[in-house]
Amino acid sequence: MDRHRADPRTAARPEGGITLRFPRSGFPAVDDVYRDFTYGWATTLVQLKSYAETGEPAPLFTA
């Protein structure tokens, strides 16, 4: 079992739509591993937001 994890959760919003929550746990300190993990999620969520708003897929990482 990975000691660093995200536990995605969803919640319906009263005005419609869904809220996605990605709580992170298992980090003993704010260190390089924590920074890498949160940067990766931030990058992914920005791309997900763009896709949800435009319908245009974009690569997460380019060569």
Side-chain angles (χ1 to χ4, degrees), residues 1 8 12-13 18 28 34 39 45 48 50 54-55:
M1 175 184 244
R13 298 175 67 180
I18 298 289
Y34 176 84
Y39 178 79
L45 293 175
L48 178 60
S50 176
T54 68

Side-chain angles (χ1 to χ4, degrees), residues 18-40:
I18 298 289
T19 296
L20 298 174
R21 295 180 190 264
F22 292 89
R24 295 170 295 280
S25 63
F27 294 97
V30 176
D31 58 7
D32 289 340
V33 173
Y34 176 84
R35 287 182 191 93
D36 289 345
F37 193 86
T38 55
Y39 178 79

